[in-house]
Amino acid sequence: MCAAPAGKSIFAWKTLNPELLLCNEAIGKRMGMLISNLRRCQIQPSATANVDSKILAEEIPQTANLVIVDAHCTDQSLLAKGDKAPGCFHHVTINSNANRQKRILANSAKIVAPQGYLAYMTCTYSTEENEQVSESVLSKFPEFQPVTVPHLEKYRSHLREIPCYRMCPQVRLGAGAVTVLFQNTSDGERNQLQQIF
């Protein structure tokens, strides 16, 4: 989800060697760069979609072993790069993004197969867009449990009990990012992906 410009998609393909990499980007004007980067890096087998996450939740429920949500956010980390991010600390902007993230994550959770994973990440610092959004996933989907990632433990957030990891620019880990990994602990079989594209 939120796949453009494809950096995390390409990394996932190279690292995990999936049967199929499906990259969805709901914002139409970002599709060109997504497709271009996938072609340039010869990512196959892959497919792209330009639909709202709700459509995928309805059409391909419980089909994915892993759903990565690189969520649209207030982009507060752009400031560490020296870029501008007007309004990125305004409470209205933060709340709007947090609500959008909750909706995307709720739809994404429905796509995750039993025993599959949901990876959530942002490039912003607000607890409303990170820890609080993660807590909403756990509240709405009790079958999902947060997963401890041992090699990220030194970056674990002290702001909540759940294992949420904050990679900050002062520790030379890029401009900043936050991530949480969830597992769908329910029993059952993964649904087969039908041809819908």
Side-chain angles (χ1 to χ4, degrees):
M1 294 294 174
C2 319
K8 292 178 181 70
S9 300
I10 293 166
F11 181 76
W13 182 84
K14 288 187 175 286
T15 305
L16 303 173
N17 193 24
E19 295 171 29
L20 172 68
L21 178 70
L22 172 58
C23 303
N24 183 62
E25 176 55 59
I27 300 173
K29 67 182 181 181
R30 295 174 58 91
M31 286 299 292
M33 72 175 111
L34 172 63
I35 293 168
S36 174
N37 285 327
L38 292 172
R39 284 185 181 154
R40 178 178 55 82
C41 295
Q42 301 176 357
I43 305 302
Q44 289 297 330
S46 65
T48 58
N50 176 219
V51 297
D52 188 88
S53 58
K54 182 179 183 198
I55 293 170
L56 293 178
E58 292 169 352
E59 296 292 330
I60 57 170
Q62 296 189 336
T63 55
N65 292 324
L66 170 64
V67 176
I68 299 171
V69 179
D70 186 14
H72 300 290
C73 63
T74 54
D75 293 323
Q76 293 168 352
S77 71
L78 291 179
L79 301 176
K81 294 180 178 179
D83 294 343
K84 294 182 179 176
C88 68
F89 289 101
H90 194 279
H91 68 92
V92 172
T93 306
I94 290 171
N95 287 338
S96 173
N97 277 281
N99 288 332
R100 177 170 53 175
Q101 291 165 16
K102 289 174 186 175
R103 186 182 68 76
I104 293 169
L105 279 168
N107 289 327
S108 298
K110 295 173 184 174
I111 300 168
V112 178
Q115 302 303 308
Y117 294 90
L118 174 63
Y120 164 56
M121 56 205 67
T122 72
C123 60
T124 198
Y125 309 119
S126 69
T127 57
E128 294 90 345
E129 293 180 81
N130 294 299
E131 288 88 352
Q132 289 180 25
V133 169
S134 298
E135 288 171 339
S136 78
V137 171
L138 298 174
S139 172
K140 189 165 188 172
F141 299 94
E143 69 274 22
F144 279 79
Q145 294 299 313
V147 177
T148 298
V149 182
H151 70 277
L152 292 179
E153 274 301 291
K154 63 182 174 183
Y155 307 112
R156 188 168 176 160
S157 172
H158 66 281
L159 301 173
R160 295 291 192 279
E161 290 296 316
I162 64 171
C164 179
Y165 303 100
R166 291 178 163 264
M167 283 68 71
C168 299
Q170 65 267 27
V171 290
R172 299 184 180 174
L173 291 171
V178 179
T179 189
V180 180
L181 180 64
F182 303 97
Q183 183 175 22
N184 180 350
T185 62
S186 63
D187 295 324
E189 296 294 320
R190 177 170 69 99
N191 292 335
Q192 294 302 307
L193 183 63
Q194 303 299 318
Q195 185 68 33
I196 64 165
F197 303 103

